[in-house]
Amino acid sequence: MQGSRRKCIGRGDSGTRYRRYPPALFSAWYGGVCRSGWRHVFSSGFGLRDIERELPFSTDTISLVASVTKSFTACLVGMLVDEGLLDWERPVRDYLPGFDMLDPLAAEGLTLEDMLCHRSGLPNHENLLAHGVNRELPDAEKAKAWRRELVNRLAYFEPGAPFRARFQYQDIVYTCVGALLEEVTGDHYEQLIKDRLLDPLQMTSSTFSRAEARATQKLCEGYDLCSDQPEPMPFCDTRYLAPTAGLYSTAEDMIKWIQFQMQSGLAGDCRLVSEPSMEWLHSPHMIDTESVILYGDKRPSYGQGWMLHKFRGLDAISHGGTFNGHRTNVSFIPEKKLGVVVLSNLNLCRAAQAASLVALDHYLGRSTRNEWIDYYQDVQARSAAARSSALDALLAAANTEKSAQLSATGLCW
């Protein structure tokens, strides 16, 4: 078993290769590329989707695409805008009477545009994302009720910045968008996405149900590195958080999603979303001050469910996703009709981003494999050091507080 683990993350016969390339780049992953003519020019699986059972990561392996789900939520809003049921710039209170936030300006003025580009003023609240850890959640009706209650809880969340003043990535707010959609249509979010997007695009392997994904026997395990060895992570059922991180899919299905984006809302000859709404989704709405500038002199911005940035002087659109051992990257360059999907099952690694950029560069006529591996190896090392420092500071603060409490009671510790 130890031998198969080492092989799966690419140590090979020599430790040299393992030291040269970060272990994240040898997690199991599937990549797909589409370009002119909407044809696949490369697709392949690497490594294992399940180490213990030695099952390969293949072209039909199902993975949680996590935050890439946001692009589906934003697209659904666009469809309802086209139908006149919603307006991008109309206050949320018009759809959800009694909606409230601690910031009175946000409470009165928050719109779907604000919610979909992370400028609500709220910081992320990661603790609520752990609701489904190690347990499969009940039916869709309870998920709908939970999301509606989450909207009510927004009234008690402290803002991290003034309304519309700063980009602050927010999963909870995106989940509340799903609640708003359910309120307006009377239907469940998951069913809306299936009927309006997944079925017309023939994304037949995609689902919001972990039980359904697991029943196919094709769902990959999520892993984390513990002492340089991949170990299974506790699963997290994201059903209640479906609008922000709940979709399970395959790279083959996600390639169809990219094609749909680059065809400006057309599914074959059928238009699902108007061109103005697609342009709105792919246009900048908020400067992203959290992400780094990879290439070009423009800071990345956020559209509606999509990251927008320059790559080699070209407009690029992308989104990543990560959740409990599942990592995804979806990227496309509309001008070149070039798109890449990478699914990975190793936690807190940068394999998906590195592989996407290597693939994009390759089809743009550049060979930059080592460049991107070196870059993300450095990013990963710095991230690990930052997490370690933060943990040390947290433990030191906890020990100081405990010492103060013991001193106050006359005890020595």
Side-chain angles (χ1 to χ4, degrees), residues 35-264:
R35 59 179 316 189
S36 57
W38 315 121
R39 61 187 177 88
H40 285 79
V41 294
F42 172 81
S43 60
S44 184
F46 300 87
L48 303 175
R49 74 172 187 265
D50 187 314
I51 295 174
E52 184 176 357
R53 294 190 292 167
E54 297 188 350
L55 299 176
F57 206 120
S58 59
T59 59
D60 59 355
T61 293
I62 297 175
S63 179
L64 180 67
V65 301
S67 285
V68 177
T69 311
K70 291 178 174 66
S71 62
F72 289 81
T73 300
C75 191
L76 177 56
V77 172
M79 300 176 88
L80 297 180
V81 168
D82 290 342
E83 296 171 17
L85 292 176
L86 295 174
D87 188 294
W88 300 108
E89 299 173 289
R90 190 173 171 183
V92 169
R93 276 185 173 174
D94 290 353
Y95 306 109
L96 298 174
F99 174 79
D100 202 9
M101 298 178 73
L102 285 179
D103 182 339
L105 291 178
E108 183 178 349
L110 188 75
T111 66
L112 280 163
E113 179 189 7
D114 298 320
M115 299 175 82
L116 294 172
C117 70
H118 304 290
R119 64 184 193 195
S120 67
L122 293 180
N124 215 342
H125 294 79
E126 297 288 350
N127 57 321
L128 290 176
L129 303 182
H131 193 75
V133 171
N134 257 345
R135 63 189 182 117
E136 291 190 354
L137 299 171
D139 57 51
E141 195 61 41
K142 290 186 178 179
K144 183 179 178 182
W146 190 89
R147 288 191 283 265
R148 188 62 182 85
E149 175 57 27
L150 188 60
V151 173
N152 297 332
R153 293 189 194 185
L154 289 186
Y156 306 99
F157 289 176
E158 290 283 351
F163 179 45
R164 293 178 179 164
R166 186 195 307 166
F167 177 88
Q168 294 181 107
Y169 196 83
Q170 239 296 349
D171 289 302
I172 302 306
V173 169
Y174 253 85
T175 303
C176 291
V177 172
L180 188 154
L181 298 177
E182 291 172 328
E183 186 76 16
V184 169
T185 64
D187 209 343
H188 296 91
Y189 167 85
E190 298 91 334
Q191 195 63 45
L192 289 167
I193 294 292
K194 182 179 187 300
D195 293 344
R196 290 171 171 266
L197 289 170
L198 300 182
D199 287 350
L201 295 174
Q202 299 181 17
M203 296 177 66
T204 56
S205 297
S206 301
T207 179
F208 286 96
S209 169
R210 186 178 187 278
E212 288 182 9
R214 190 163 44 81
T216 66
Q217 302 294 313
K218 297 176 181 178
L219 177 63
C220 70
E221 291 287 338
Y223 294 91
D224 199 1
L225 281 179
C226 300
S227 300
D228 268 356
Q229 291 296 317
E231 298 290 344
M233 288 194 72
F235 75 86
C236 183
D237 190 339
T238 54
R239 185 169 197 160
Y240 287 6
L241 302 163
T244 195
L247 185 66
Y248 293 86
S249 190
T250 66
E252 289 181 337
D253 272 6
M254 293 306 297
I255 284 291
K256 297 174 184 177
W257 182 237
I258 285 181
Q259 291 175 348
F260 175 67
Q261 299 298 316
M262 290 196 290
Q263 293 181 104
S264 297

Side-chain angles (χ1 to χ4, degrees), residues 321-322 325-329 342-344 346-350 352-353:
T322 179
H326 297 263
R327 297 212 51 143
T328 302
N329 189 271
V342 181
L343 308 180
S344 170
L346 186 61
N347 198 49
L348 296 179
C349 76
R350 307 289 176 149
Q353 294 102 313

Side-chain angles (χ1 to χ4, degrees), residues 29-36 38-44 251-252 254-256 258-259 262 331-332 336-342 355-364:
W29 63 281
Y30 169 82
V33 182
C34 68
R35 59 179 316 189
S36 57
W38 315 121
R39 61 187 177 88
H40 285 79
V41 294
F42 172 81
S43 60
S44 184
E252 289 181 337
M254 293 306 297
I255 284 291
K256 297 174 184 177
I258 285 181
Q259 291 175 348
M262 290 196 290
S331 306
F332 58 99
K336 298 294 184 180
K337 293 185 172 62
L338 172 63
V340 180
V341 174
V342 181
S356 293
L357 294 173
V358 168
L360 290 174
D361 263 341
H362 175 79
Y363 285 98
L364 293 175

